[in-house]
Every structure is written in structure tokens, then in C-alpha cells.
Amino acid sequence: MMLLRSLRLLSLYSLLCFCGGVGHCVETMTRADLSALIVPPYALGERVNEKGVWTLLNSGGAPAGYAFETEPLAPLPGFSGAPINVLVLLDLNGMFIDARLIAHNEPIFVSGLGQAPFHEIVSQYPGLSINSSLVVGTPYGAADGSSGLVYLDGVTKATASVRIAHESILAATLQVAREKMQGVAAGPPAFPNTDYEEELSWNDIVAQGLAGHLRVTNAEMQDAFAGTKWAKDDAEAQDFPKDIYLDFWIVDVGPKSIARAVFEQETLEELDHFLSISASDEPLLVIETARHGLVSENFVRNTAPDLIGLEQNGFPVALRDADLFVSLRKDVPDGVALVLRTDRRLGFDPASPWRVTVTASRSHGMFQPEIGTVALTLDHQTDGRFFKRAETIAPLAPWREAILNRKTDLIILLVFSIPMVIAFLVRQSWMANLATIIPVRLVFLTFLVVFLGWWGQGQLSIVTVIATLRTAVDGESFSYLLYDPFSLVIWAIAIFGFVLWGRGLFCGWFCPFGALQEISYYVARGLKLPEVKVSDRLDQRLKYLKYVLLASLLSVVFIWPAYTDRFAEIEPFKTAITVYFMREWYYVAYAGFWLLLGAVVFKGFCRYVCPLGAVMALGGLLRRRDWVARRAECGSPCQLCRVKCNYGAINQTGKIAYSECFQCLDCVKIYDSEKTCVPLILEARAPTRGKKPT
């Protein structure tokens, strides 16, 4: 059952991504599909915003938490460039109830390690709290439990993918927690104002409260552990109670004026280089001059510090060593120093109050010692004069944002398509009679596959037709169609073509998979491979097959909707165009079969099987004119156009079957030619008939 649900989700997500295009306009799950994943005693409540956050109810109908997808809230690009989407259930105390991988396109899991390891990684979150410091990886050295970190097992060969998934989960979860569980609106965080200049010294920084300072004596540590089994486990604290146990400083060195006051030139240059690469990171300098130290002996550079934590508004903020060489100015306290970094995109606001937690630990016993910890906290805030905030701009309507995201592609598409449509309207004969029509068409077909298909992802599909039909039946909004303006323009061209030419404009000139088939046909001719001519009788029977398949697919939509996406795989478009043949071998073999068949049977899939072609043929009923001219002699006695038509779209009477015409213009070329059109040849010879040679 769980596997079926996962397959259903993956299929649904593929459908939504296709309808939404590759511009990453995210379409969230419907109530029905999301409800299917909520396990009792929980149930899905009401939707609370447009980013797919829902309330979660307990068995008594009372609010129990929230359910949401990570992609709409935190669309961080994965290793493949596409976001990783996870369904998260969070209770009102900030505990993960469930986390389930919905969809991703990480190559190492898609075609390498398989899906199972990725699902296992995500399954580690239930039972954990967002108030814990969650880290991907394993503790280095002996795990003594003193760090306060919660480790999640990763995958050695997929570190980047796992970390991105982890950051996506944390970013989305903390956003929901801030906005819904605490009532704190998550506005844009402040960032260092690079235009602000101020001469500062270390003394100025201390006097103005720009450096946070936490000083703890041995006696205070004794008091903290008093009454516990660890009270006598620090001999130095007992013998020298007045000595300093922790002398901790923290400074936000994101603002240049502050950084110049604490760092030597060499470190300043290294910090500038780091920030030029990681512009969204906020660097924090930490110094410790006493015996506590900053990290444990198991710490490894460029990982999360194991003794220092950061939180803001009651929620943890991820910290990581920036791995910078630290050289301090002479007036700065001399001790162990590190530069840590945190990502402002994940919710940290450097101009708002935040709290640093330093973990102090003691061990009791010789063998398998018991670890006791005390959290030492320091509240700090850097003055707002060093920062500025991005102006809050009202988001554009999704359709406008989608158009802007694909502005260049749309311009190229229109520049390419408008002249061609006009040429079909007013210069059809000129196009048909080009001396280089085949080479020109091959170049055009190649451009069609590469730009419209692989680059633009403008391959229309029966999936869109099905989704639109379901939307109409369910009375839902069609706004999702606007999220992919590139495909929408192609649909507009196809519908416009229905009125003037029938199915020919799209099927013959705008379908990337159809172009790929035609290219394979011409390549086969160049290689002198045999061509298979289907008999007229069999050809006419096979052409009905696509209508049967279309009717079957539409029946599945209403009778077995859960299997719709599986049946839609009868189209090889997703394999050959959408994912560039990067799928399981059987999908690739299926798509390859139709391309190989198309090499010997001209566009066999388009003519006999394609359910979208059936829709296009039915749409051709809107055609208001017969755009291919005919003569009285066409069909009786002349059969040349019918014999030459690779699509079998001309019957014996000479009439054009526009539902099967792909607008290749071969018959137009014959009709206009005085050298090939039999009636024109006979007409030219007529004046000389009956005359005796002299």
C-alpha cells in the first residue's frame, strides 16, 4: 500500500511539473492526494495559505499541527538543478510526526544508488524536534554525547543531494513554525550594508555592545552542577574557584566596518573572497580565551560546531565553520578563534536579537562515563545601522512571473513561429517549391527537437488534455495552465491551426517527438535502409487505433484515475523529450522502438498510436476551409499525389483526409509543378495533339 501511494505521488508530481513547465512554478498537491498520506489518528484539516500549508487534526478534530510540502516553501535547487520535494507533518510542539520524500531529480538516486537510500534518509526525521541541532553525517571520533547535536545518517556518494534535502526540510519547517506556530511573520532578513563606513576599534566595539561577551568562573560552573552526580567531576573547578572557566566573545563580522576592527589584512582579504562566493552567508567571529575552548577534540573543520549553538525567535539556526584562517588585531582578546557562518536564506536575521548557547559538559565514571551538560547562554544583537533590508515587494501574479522567467524563450518561439504561420497563410506554394526544401526541413526539424523540445520543454502531451478535462469536471481553476506560458503559446498555435489547416500545423511542424521520428526516417533513407509501405487497407484500419487508445485513456481517467499516469506512458514523449532518455531501460527501449519503427514506417507512432494525435485530429473538425487545392482530374484518373503521400492522407477519389494530413506540402509541390502534375503535363501537350509531324 505504501509503495502504491508513493508511485501515485511520483506520478502526480510528474503531471504537475509537466503542466507547470520547467520554469518551476510549483503546483501543490490536492486535498484528496494529501489526505491519502495522512495516517490515523491524524486527519487533514483546512488549507491555511497558497503555499500548500494545511492544518493537521487529531482524532477528536482538534488542531494537532501542520502538513506541508517543502518545495513551495523552500525551493532550494538540488544537485540536478531541480528542487527536492518532501511532505512534512509537524506537531504543535515542533516535533516531526512524519517526513516523506515525494519527488526529486537527483541523478545519483535516479540512475545510480536507486530510490531506497533517499527514502531511508528522510524517514529519520519523525520523532525529532526542530529545537534540536540536526546535522547530516556521523560524529567524528568517539561520540561522547556532549555536543548536543542530533546526527542524521547520510550517503557517502550523495552528500550534496542529502544536505540540500536536509536544508530544504529545515527551511520549510522553520518557516511554518515561525509564521504559524509562533505568529512571527517571516519578512526578508537584513543584510550588511556595503555602503556604510565607520572607523571602529576593538574598544569601540566592546563599548557599543557590538561584541557579545560571556564570562563564567569555575565557581559558577560548580553551582551549575551542584546537586548532580557530576558535582565533583571537575577537580580544577574545585581547586581554583575564582579562575575563569569560559571567556567567550562573539562578533558579527558581516559588516565591513566591524570586520576591519578585528581582523588583520590577510584575514580581511580571505573573508572578502569568501563572501564574494557565499553572498547569502553571515560570518560570525567567536573567540574563547579560557579553558573551555570552542569545540571538542572530535571537531572537523568546515562542519557544524559541536559545542556552540545559535537560535533566533526560539528556533535553531544552522551554523557551520567557514574554514577561514583567522588573524586578529593586537587589541583583540588573544585566544582560540573561529569564523562560523549561517545562511540568511534559511531565516537568520542578523539585525534582530539572537541567542548563543555554549555547551559545558562533564563526564562521570571511568568506563562508559555518563555525560552531563549545562547550557551557557548569551543574548546578543548587532546595531541596525550596519544593515539594510530589501524592500518588500508584492509578488507578481504567477502567470506574469512565469512569462518573465521565460521571456527569452518566448521571444525566440514567437520569432520562429509567427513568420512560419504567416508563410503557410500567404506563401504556401513558395514554401512547397523551394529547391532545398528537404535540407531546410531537416534543419528546421533539428531546431524543433533541440529548442522546442529538449530546451524549451514545449512537448505537448495527452497529460495536459487529461488534466484540463479533470479540472473542468471537478470545477477547479485552470490557472495552472498559465504557469507554463511556453507550452501555452504552442497550444494556442495548435488551436489556431485547427481552424485553418486541421491537425497539420502542430503534428507536422510543432511536435518535437514527431520531428524526431521524421529525422530518423531521413537518416534511414540516407543509410539506404529498406522502407516498409503499409498497404492501403491495413493503413486505414490502423489509423482507427489511436482513437480507440484515446477513448480507453479517457475511460481510465474516470474509472481508474489512480492509473491514469501509467496509461499515459503510452506516449514516449516524457522519455524522449522531457527527460532526454534518462529513465529506466524499459522506458528508453519503448521510446527507441518507435524511433526505429519510424525509420522504416514513416511516422508510425503519429499515424497509428498517438492519443494526442487523435485529439488533434478531432480538433481538426474546427477547420473551416480546404486549404489544399484540387483539380477535377485529381483521383480520376490521376493518383500521383495519393501515391506520393507518405501519410496516406489522400484517398482514391483525390480528396484530402485532413484528419490525417500533416501539412508536409508534398502534394502542393506536385500540384504546382508543370513537370510532375499529370493534368498540367497533359494540358501543356494538348495543343500538339492530333497534329501530324511535318
Side-chain angles (χ1 to χ4, degrees):
M1 182 63 69
M2 188 65 69
L3 178 60
L4 287 175
R5 285 180 176 177
S6 298
L7 287 172
R8 183 182 182 186
L9 270 177
L10 289 170
S11 299
L12 175 67
Y13 186 77
S14 299
L15 172 61
L16 293 174
C17 282
F18 184 86
C19 293
V22 189
H24 301 305
C25 293
V26 180
E27 185 78 21
T28 57
M29 283 190 290
T30 63
R31 168 182 282 277
D33 288 286
L34 189 55
S35 295
L37 297 172
I38 308 300
V39 180
Y42 298 102
L44 193 65
E46 296 300 317
R47 187 168 184 162
V48 298
N49 65 21
E50 294 302 315
K51 289 189 175 182
V53 180
W54 300 72
T55 55
L56 195 64
L57 306 178
N58 60 22
S59 57
Y66 295 93
F68 52 91
E69 297 170 72
T70 61
E71 183 178 355
L73 295 164
L76 302 181
F79 192 75
S80 66
I84 298 167
N85 200 18
V86 177
L87 174 66
V88 176
L89 305 187
L90 190 70
D91 73 12
L92 295 175
N93 295 317
M95 299 289 291
F96 287 96
I97 298 172
D98 197 6
R100 198 172 303 179
L101 184 65
I102 297 176
H104 70 93
N105 196 33
E106 299 304 283
I108 188 66
F109 293 111
V110 170
S111 57
L113 300 174
Q115 304 289 348
F118 213 177
H119 284 276
E120 291 174 4
I121 289 164
V122 176
S123 69
Q124 298 176 80
Y125 288 86
L128 300 178
S129 171
I130 61 173
N131 294 308
S132 302
S133 296
L134 305 178
V135 179
V136 173
T138 55
Y140 294 92
D144 59 7
S146 63
S147 68
L149 299 179
V150 177
Y151 289 94
L152 301 168
D153 290 335
V155 177
T156 303
K157 293 182 179 180
T159 303
S161 296
V162 174
R163 290 194 185 282
I164 292 166
H166 175 66
E167 295 297 339
S168 299
I169 292 171
L170 286 187
T173 302
L174 292 176
Q175 186 177 148
V176 171
R178 290 187 184 99
E179 294 184 1
K180 303 304 175 186
M181 296 169 64
Q182 189 169 313
V184 178
F191 55 93
N193 185 353
T194 55
D195 297 327
Y196 183 81
E197 297 285 345
E198 183 178 348
E199 288 297 326
L200 295 169
S201 66
W202 174 254
N203 290 334
D204 295 331
I205 287 176
V206 174
Q208 296 178 25
L210 301 176
H213 187 205
L214 178 60
R215 188 182 180 93
V216 181
T217 65
N218 284 333
E220 289 171 325
M221 287 306 303
Q222 281 297 103
D223 292 340
F225 281 103
T228 70
K229 66 179 67 178
W230 297 279
K232 297 182 180 181
D233 286 317
D234 188 343
E236 185 173 348
Q238 297 178 68
D239 295 340
F240 307 98
K242 294 183 179 181
D243 286 0
I244 304 303
Y245 173 78
L246 175 71
D247 186 33
F248 178 83
W249 297 86
I250 185 164
V251 184
D252 186 337
V253 290
K256 290 185 177 180
S257 299
I258 298 178
R260 284 198 298 266
V262 297
F263 290 135
E264 294 286 0
Q265 185 61 33
E266 183 178 2
T267 302
L268 282 174
E269 293 174 358
E270 192 171 351
L271 178 62
D272 286 342
H273 177 68
F274 168 77
L275 292 177
S276 69
I277 298 172
S278 304
S280 63
D281 281 345
E282 191 71 17
L284 305 174
L285 169 67
V286 291
I287 306 171
E288 215 284 302
T289 68
R291 68 186 185 97
H292 175 275
L294 290 175
V295 293
S296 73
E297 60 183 10
N298 300 319
F299 173 73
V300 174
R301 298 302 299 263
N302 205 24
T303 64
D306 51 0
L307 300 180
I308 303 173
L310 183 67
E311 65 179 53
Q312 192 170 53
N313 297 322
F315 298 101
V317 176
L319 282 176
R320 180 172 294 277
D321 173 36
D323 198 17
L324 299 179
F325 170 77
V326 179
S327 177
L328 302 174
R329 297 183 64 169
K330 292 181 180 180
D331 52 348
V332 179
D334 184 21
V336 181
L338 282 176
V339 175
L340 305 176
R341 58 173 174 156
T342 185
D343 195 331
R344 293 188 298 272
R345 293 175 302 177
L346 303 183
F348 179 67
D349 186 350
S352 299
W354 37 277
R355 171 172 289 183
V356 185
T357 301
V358 180
T359 301
S361 64
R362 290 183 179 182
S363 60
H364 181 77
M366 294 294 292
F367 299 101
Q368 295 184 338
E370 297 177 79
I371 306 300
T373 61
V374 171
L376 307 173
T377 61
L378 169 65
D379 292 322
H380 184 63
Q381 180 178 4
T382 307
D383 191 271
R385 71 181 187 271
F386 297 98
F387 303 96
K388 61 181 179 180
R389 296 183 185 275
E391 182 182 354
T392 303
I393 302 174
L396 293 174
W399 64 271
R400 292 185 62 188
E401 187 175 353
I403 290 175
L404 290 176
N405 287 338
R406 303 209 63 181
K407 179 179 178 181
T408 302
D409 291 343
L410 288 169
I411 291 173
I412 296 174
L413 174 61
L414 292 174
V415 168
F416 147 76
S417 58
I418 291 176
M420 190 181 70
V421 173
I422 293 174
F424 273 117
L425 280 171
V426 299
R427 299 296 300 275
Q428 177 177 286
S429 294
W430 173 80
M431 289 180 62
N433 289 285
L434 284 174
T436 56
I437 183 63
I438 291 181
V440 168
R441 181 161 174 79
L442 280 172
V443 172
F444 173 84
L445 293 174
T446 303
F447 174 79
L448 182 64
V449 172
V450 174
F451 176 70
L452 247 68
W454 291 333
W455 173 264
Q457 291 292 292
Q459 173 70 65
L460 303 189
S461 169
I462 192 64
V463 172
T464 310
V465 178
I466 292 171
T468 305
L469 180 62
R470 279 297 329 177
T471 301
V473 171
D474 296 339
E476 300 290 342
S477 171
F478 291 95
S479 61
Y480 69 88
L481 294 173
L482 300 175
Y483 295 166
D484 182 12
F486 193 83
S487 295
L488 196 60
V489 169
I490 300 175
W491 274 112
I493 293 171
I495 294 171
F496 177 74
F498 289 163
V499 178
L500 294 177
W501 299 285
R503 72 179 291 189
L505 185 63
F506 171 76
C507 292
W509 297 87
F510 278 90
C511 179
F513 187 76
L516 205 57
Q517 285 187 92
E518 195 165 339
I519 290 171
S520 71
Y521 174 82
Y522 282 117
V523 170
R525 302 291 73 74
L527 296 175
K528 308 298 184 182
L529 297 180
E531 181 178 359
V532 176
K533 290 288 186 180
V534 181
S535 68
D536 290 346
R537 184 177 181 182
L538 180 59
D539 177 73
Q540 292 303 316
R541 291 182 177 181
L542 287 176
K543 284 176 179 176
Y544 287 107
L545 178 60
K546 59 181 175 286
Y547 300 104
V548 174
L549 293 173
L550 174 63
S552 301
L553 189 54
L554 294 177
S555 299
V556 170
V557 172
F558 296 100
I559 300 174
W560 302 291
Y563 297 93
T564 300
D565 296 305
R566 299 185 189 182
F567 278 83
E569 290 289 353
I570 194 170
E571 290 182 333
F573 305 162
K574 179 178 179 181
T575 301
I577 303 299
T578 307
V579 297
Y580 325 108
F581 294 98
M582 295 175 63
R583 295 188 78 186
E584 291 84 351
W585 68 268
Y586 41 88
Y587 288 116
V588 176
Y590 177 72
F593 165 78
W594 288 114
L595 292 178
L596 290 175
L597 183 69
V600 294
V601 177
F602 189 69
K603 298 182 82 164
F605 178 83
C606 300
R607 293 160 62 190
Y608 305 130
V609 178
C610 182
L612 179 63
V615 172
M616 295 292 177
L618 293 173
L621 297 175
L622 298 173
R623 177 183 52 83
R624 309 319 302 156
R625 68 190 183 107
D626 293 344
W627 57 272
V628 178
R630 299 280 83 192
R631 293 188 173 91
E633 296 87 351
C634 293
S636 178
C638 182
Q639 296 285 316
L640 181 60
C641 287
R642 186 184 72 83
V643 172
K644 292 292 185 179
C645 181
N646 284 320
Y647 296 98
I650 304 176
N651 59 34
Q652 291 185 353
T653 64
K655 185 178 180 181
I656 306 293
Y658 288 99
S659 60
E660 301 298 335
C661 177
F662 284 63
Q663 208 163 339
C664 67
L665 303 180
D666 286 350
C667 60
V668 175
K669 183 175 183 177
I670 294 172
Y671 181 90
D672 292 337
S673 176
E674 295 180 353
K675 296 181 179 180
T676 55
C677 180
V678 175
L680 290 182
I681 293 174
L682 294 177
E683 183 180 345
R685 293 177 179 175
T688 62
R689 287 182 182 178
K691 291 185 179 181
K692 296 181 180 180
T694 57

PDB file of all heavy atoms in Angstrom, residues 12 16 18 25 147 158 191 204 250 318 345 355 376 415 425 438 458 551 561 572 577 640 690:
ATOM      1  N   LEU A  12       1.769  11.842  -9.801  1.00  0.00           N
ATOM      2  CA  LEU A  12       1.073  13.123  -9.683  1.00  0.00           C
ATOM      3  C   LEU A  12       2.035  14.281  -9.803  1.00  0.00           C
ATOM      4  O   LEU A  12       1.771  15.263 -10.497  1.00  0.00           O
ATOM      5  CB  LEU A  12       0.345  13.191  -8.341  1.00  0.00           C
ATOM      6  CG  LEU A  12      -0.340  14.529  -8.022  1.00  0.00           C
ATOM      7  CD1 LEU A  12      -1.504  14.749  -8.983  1.00  0.00           C
ATOM      8  CD2 LEU A  12      -0.810  14.564  -6.587  1.00  0.00           C
ATOM      9  N   LEU A  16       2.037  17.366 -12.466  1.00  0.00           N
ATOM     10  CA  LEU A  16       2.010  18.777 -12.097  1.00  0.00           C
ATOM     11  C   LEU A  16       3.201  19.518 -12.666  1.00  0.00           C
ATOM     12  O   LEU A  16       3.092  20.657 -13.110  1.00  0.00           O
ATOM     13  CB  LEU A  16       1.985  18.918 -10.568  1.00  0.00           C
ATOM     14  CG  LEU A  16       0.693  18.408  -9.903  1.00  0.00           C
ATOM     15  CD1 LEU A  16       0.838  18.469  -8.384  1.00  0.00           C
ATOM     16  CD2 LEU A  16      -0.505  19.220 -10.346  1.00  0.00           C
ATOM     17  N   PHE A  18       4.762  18.752 -15.367  1.00  0.00           N
ATOM     18  CA  PHE A  18       4.590  18.928 -16.805  1.00  0.00           C
ATOM     19  C   PHE A  18       3.634  20.070 -17.091  1.00  0.00           C
ATOM     20  O   PHE A  18       3.885  20.910 -17.942  1.00  0.00           O
ATOM     21  CB  PHE A  18       4.073  17.635 -17.436  1.00  0.00           C
ATOM     22  CG  PHE A  18       3.982  17.745 -18.924  1.00  0.00           C
ATOM     23  CD1 PHE A  18       5.088  17.466 -19.704  1.00  0.00           C
ATOM     24  CD2 PHE A  18       2.821  18.169 -19.548  1.00  0.00           C
ATOM     25  CE1 PHE A  18       5.019  17.596 -21.081  1.00  0.00           C
ATOM     26  CE2 PHE A  18       2.757  18.301 -20.914  1.00  0.00           C
ATOM     27  CZ  PHE A  18       3.864  18.002 -21.678  1.00  0.00           C
ATOM     28  N   CYS A  25       7.253  26.618 -11.602  1.00  0.00           N
ATOM     29  CA  CYS A  25       6.075  27.195 -10.977  1.00  0.00           C
ATOM     30  C   CYS A  25       5.382  26.045 -10.256  1.00  0.00           C
ATOM     31  O   CYS A  25       4.800  25.179 -10.886  1.00  0.00           O
ATOM     32  CB  CYS A  25       5.154  27.810 -12.018  1.00  0.00           C
ATOM     33  SG  CYS A  25       5.878  29.254 -12.807  1.00  0.00           S
ATOM     34  N   SER A 147      28.033  17.152  22.635  1.00  0.00           N
ATOM     35  CA  SER A 147      27.878  18.237  21.669  1.00  0.00           C
ATOM     36  C   SER A 147      26.462  18.771  21.573  1.00  0.00           C
ATOM     37  O   SER A 147      26.240  19.888  21.156  1.00  0.00           O
ATOM     38  CB  SER A 147      28.314  17.764  20.274  1.00  0.00           C
ATOM     39  OG  SER A 147      27.416  16.788  19.790  1.00  0.00           O
ATOM     40  N   ALA A 158      26.432  10.683  -2.031  1.00  0.00           N
ATOM     41  CA  ALA A 158      25.407  11.673  -2.375  1.00  0.00           C
ATOM     42  C   ALA A 158      25.315  12.757  -1.318  1.00  0.00           C
ATOM     43  O   ALA A 158      24.228  13.195  -0.954  1.00  0.00           O
ATOM     44  CB  ALA A 158      24.065  10.971  -2.545  1.00  0.00           C
ATOM     45  N   PHE A 191      20.675  42.430   5.765  1.00  0.00           N
ATOM     46  CA  PHE A 191      21.980  42.004   5.264  1.00  0.00           C
ATOM     47  C   PHE A 191      22.938  43.194   5.382  1.00  0.00           C
ATOM     48  O   PHE A 191      22.513  44.358   5.411  1.00  0.00           O
ATOM     49  CB  PHE A 191      21.887  41.521   3.818  1.00  0.00           C
ATOM     50  CG  PHE A 191      21.286  42.512   2.871  1.00  0.00           C
ATOM     51  CD1 PHE A 191      22.086  43.397   2.148  1.00  0.00           C
ATOM     52  CD2 PHE A 191      19.913  42.574   2.684  1.00  0.00           C
ATOM     53  CE1 PHE A 191      21.539  44.315   1.280  1.00  0.00           C
ATOM     54  CE2 PHE A 191      19.349  43.495   1.810  1.00  0.00           C
ATOM     55  CZ  PHE A 191      20.165  44.363   1.116  1.00  0.00           C
ATOM     56  N   ASP A 204      35.903  50.360  20.812  1.00  0.00           N
ATOM     57  CA  ASP A 204      34.623  50.906  20.367  1.00  0.00           C
ATOM     58  C   ASP A 204      33.566  49.805  20.257  1.00  0.00           C
ATOM     59  O   ASP A 204      32.411  49.990  20.642  1.00  0.00           O
ATOM     60  CB  ASP A 204      34.772  51.599  19.011  1.00  0.00           C
ATOM     61  CG  ASP A 204      35.666  52.831  19.082  1.00  0.00           C
ATOM     62  OD1 ASP A 204      35.717  53.457  20.150  1.00  0.00           O
ATOM     63  OD2 ASP A 204      36.319  53.134  18.057  1.00  0.00           O
ATOM     64  N   ILE A 250      31.656  36.876  20.919  1.00  0.00           N
ATOM     65  CA  ILE A 250      31.079  36.636  19.591  1.00  0.00           C
ATOM     66  C   ILE A 250      30.797  37.982  18.936  1.00  0.00           C
ATOM     67  O   ILE A 250      30.276  38.908  19.571  1.00  0.00           O
ATOM     68  CB  ILE A 250      29.802  35.777  19.653  1.00  0.00           C
ATOM     69  CG1 ILE A 250      29.310  35.457  18.233  1.00  0.00           C
ATOM     70  CG2 ILE A 250      28.711  36.435  20.491  1.00  0.00           C
ATOM     71  CD1 ILE A 250      28.306  34.318  18.181  1.00  0.00           C
ATOM     72  N   ALA A 318      21.103  27.094  11.766  1.00  0.00           N
ATOM     73  CA  ALA A 318      22.228  26.228  11.389  1.00  0.00           C
ATOM     74  C   ALA A 318      23.529  27.022  11.349  1.00  0.00           C
ATOM     75  O   ALA A 318      23.594  28.095  10.751  1.00  0.00           O
ATOM     76  CB  ALA A 318      21.971  25.577  10.035  1.00  0.00           C
ATOM     77  N   ARG A 345      19.279  32.995   4.070  1.00  0.00           N
ATOM     78  CA  ARG A 345      18.122  32.494   3.323  1.00  0.00           C
ATOM     79  C   ARG A 345      17.294  31.517   4.147  1.00  0.00           C
ATOM     80  O   ARG A 345      16.128  31.270   3.858  1.00  0.00           O
ATOM     81  CB  ARG A 345      18.583  31.803   2.033  1.00  0.00           C
ATOM     82  CG  ARG A 345      19.209  32.734   1.025  1.00  0.00           C
ATOM     83  CD  ARG A 345      19.732  31.967  -0.159  1.00  0.00           C
ATOM     84  NE  ARG A 345      20.716  30.971   0.237  1.00  0.00           N
ATOM     85  CZ  ARG A 345      21.299  30.121  -0.599  1.00  0.00           C
ATOM     86  NH1 ARG A 345      20.990  30.163  -1.883  1.00  0.00           N
ATOM     87  NH2 ARG A 345      22.186  29.244  -0.174  1.00  0.00           N
ATOM     88  N   ARG A 355      20.371  34.412  20.206  1.00  0.00           N
ATOM     89  CA  ARG A 355      20.959  33.824  21.411  1.00  0.00           C
ATOM     90  C   ARG A 355      21.993  32.777  21.033  1.00  0.00           C
ATOM     91  O   ARG A 355      21.755  31.921  20.173  1.00  0.00           O
ATOM     92  CB  ARG A 355      19.873  33.188  22.279  1.00  0.00           C
ATOM     93  CG  ARG A 355      20.411  32.353  23.446  1.00  0.00           C
ATOM     94  CD  ARG A 355      19.304  31.918  24.377  1.00  0.00           C
ATOM     95  NE  ARG A 355      18.788  33.059  25.145  1.00  0.00           N
ATOM     96  CZ  ARG A 355      17.850  32.943  26.080  1.00  0.00           C
ATOM     97  NH1 ARG A 355      17.318  31.773  26.353  1.00  0.00           N
ATOM     98  NH2 ARG A 355      17.437  34.015  26.735  1.00  0.00           N
ATOM     99  N   LEU A 376      25.144  27.282  28.559  1.00  0.00           N
ATOM    100  CA  LEU A 376      25.502  28.646  28.941  1.00  0.00           C
ATOM    101  C   LEU A 376      25.063  29.561  27.802  1.00  0.00           C
ATOM    102  O   LEU A 376      25.473  29.375  26.654  1.00  0.00           O
ATOM    103  CB  LEU A 376      27.012  28.755  29.168  1.00  0.00           C
ATOM    104  CG  LEU A 376      27.598  27.727  30.144  1.00  0.00           C
ATOM    105  CD1 LEU A 376      29.116  27.815  30.164  1.00  0.00           C
ATOM    106  CD2 LEU A 376      27.028  27.933  31.544  1.00  0.00           C
ATOM    107  N   VAL A 415       9.359  34.579 -32.597  1.00  0.00           N
ATOM    108  CA  VAL A 415      10.112  34.955 -33.799  1.00  0.00           C
ATOM    109  C   VAL A 415      10.173  33.786 -34.774  1.00  0.00           C
ATOM    110  O   VAL A 415      10.157  33.961 -35.998  1.00  0.00           O
ATOM    111  CB  VAL A 415      11.530  35.423 -33.411  1.00  0.00           C
ATOM    112  CG1 VAL A 415      12.427  35.542 -34.628  1.00  0.00           C
ATOM    113  CG2 VAL A 415      11.460  36.751 -32.665  1.00  0.00           C
ATOM    114  N   LEU A 425       0.071  30.831 -44.538  1.00  0.00           N
ATOM    115  CA  LEU A 425      -1.153  31.522 -44.945  1.00  0.00           C
ATOM    116  C   LEU A 425      -1.039  32.132 -46.337  1.00  0.00           C
ATOM    117  O   LEU A 425      -1.977  32.036 -47.147  1.00  0.00           O
ATOM    118  CB  LEU A 425      -1.500  32.614 -43.924  1.00  0.00           C
ATOM    119  CG  LEU A 425      -2.196  32.166 -42.639  1.00  0.00           C
ATOM    120  CD1 LEU A 425      -2.265  33.316 -41.646  1.00  0.00           C
ATOM    121  CD2 LEU A 425      -3.595  31.640 -42.944  1.00  0.00           C
ATOM    122  N   ILE A 438      13.987  19.867 -48.555  1.00  0.00           N
ATOM    123  CA  ILE A 438      14.326  18.779 -47.627  1.00  0.00           C
ATOM    124  C   ILE A 438      15.455  19.172 -46.687  1.00  0.00           C
ATOM    125  O   ILE A 438      15.338  18.998 -45.466  1.00  0.00           O
ATOM    126  CB  ILE A 438      14.647  17.486 -48.404  1.00  0.00           C
ATOM    127  CG1 ILE A 438      13.361  16.954 -49.058  1.00  0.00           C
ATOM    128  CG2 ILE A 438      15.248  16.438 -47.469  1.00  0.00           C
ATOM    129  CD1 ILE A 438      13.541  15.668 -49.821  1.00  0.00           C
ATOM    130  N   GLY A 458       8.654  22.138 -24.569  1.00  0.00           N
ATOM    131  CA  GLY A 458       7.357  22.500 -25.119  1.00  0.00           C
ATOM    132  C   GLY A 458       6.657  21.343 -25.800  1.00  0.00           C
ATOM    133  O   GLY A 458       5.810  21.579 -26.671  1.00  0.00           O
ATOM    134  N   ALA A 551      -9.941   6.849 -26.401  1.00  0.00           N
ATOM    135  CA  ALA A 551     -11.162   6.542 -25.654  1.00  0.00           C
ATOM    136  C   ALA A 551     -10.844   5.716 -24.411  1.00  0.00           C
ATOM    137  O   ALA A 551     -11.425   5.938 -23.334  1.00  0.00           O
ATOM    138  CB  ALA A 551     -12.153   5.807 -26.555  1.00  0.00           C
ATOM    139  N   PRO A 561      -8.815   6.440 -11.928  1.00  0.00           N
ATOM    140  CA  PRO A 561      -7.955   7.633 -12.006  1.00  0.00           C
ATOM    141  C   PRO A 561      -6.552   7.420 -11.458  1.00  0.00           C
ATOM    142  O   PRO A 561      -5.615   8.085 -11.897  1.00  0.00           O
ATOM    143  CB  PRO A 561      -8.727   8.681 -11.187  1.00  0.00           C
ATOM    144  CG  PRO A 561      -9.664   7.891 -10.319  1.00  0.00           C
ATOM    145  CD  PRO A 561     -10.022   6.682 -11.107  1.00  0.00           C
ATOM    146  N   PRO A 572       5.640   8.166 -25.658  1.00  0.00           N
ATOM    147  CA  PRO A 572       7.061   8.143 -25.296  1.00  0.00           C
ATOM    148  C   PRO A 572       7.659   9.536 -25.154  1.00  0.00           C
ATOM    149  O   PRO A 572       8.872   9.697 -25.065  1.00  0.00           O
ATOM    150  CB  PRO A 572       7.697   7.404 -26.483  1.00  0.00           C
ATOM    151  CG  PRO A 572       6.815   7.736 -27.639  1.00  0.00           C
ATOM    152  CD  PRO A 572       5.425   7.907 -27.088  1.00  0.00           C
ATOM    153  N   ILE A 577      11.779  13.286 -24.825  1.00  0.00           N
ATOM    154  CA  ILE A 577      11.902  14.748 -24.859  1.00  0.00           C
ATOM    155  C   ILE A 577      12.080  15.334 -23.462  1.00  0.00           C
ATOM    156  O   ILE A 577      13.053  16.036 -23.191  1.00  0.00           O
ATOM    157  CB  ILE A 577      10.669  15.382 -25.541  1.00  0.00           C
ATOM    158  CG1 ILE A 577      10.488  14.813 -26.961  1.00  0.00           C
ATOM    159  CG2 ILE A 577      10.825  16.892 -25.582  1.00  0.00           C
ATOM    160  CD1 ILE A 577      11.636  15.066 -27.904  1.00  0.00           C
ATOM    161  N   LEU A 640      -1.278  10.398 -58.610  1.00  0.00           N
ATOM    162  CA  LEU A 640       0.120  10.658 -58.252  1.00  0.00           C
ATOM    163  C   LEU A 640       0.254  11.202 -56.819  1.00  0.00           C
ATOM    164  O   LEU A 640       1.089  10.742 -56.046  1.00  0.00           O
ATOM    165  CB  LEU A 640       0.732  11.659 -59.239  1.00  0.00           C
ATOM    166  CG  LEU A 640       2.210  12.009 -58.985  1.00  0.00           C
ATOM    167  CD1 LEU A 640       3.080  10.762 -59.072  1.00  0.00           C
ATOM    168  CD2 LEU A 640       2.693  13.075 -59.973  1.00  0.00           C
ATOM    169  N   GLY A 690      -2.937  15.480 -82.171  1.00  0.00           N
ATOM    170  CA  GLY A 690      -3.645  15.342 -83.449  1.00  0.00           C
ATOM    171  C   GLY A 690      -2.921  15.941 -84.630  1.00  0.00           C
ATOM    172  O   GLY A 690      -3.332  15.786 -85.763  1.00  0.00           O
TER     173      GLY A 690
END
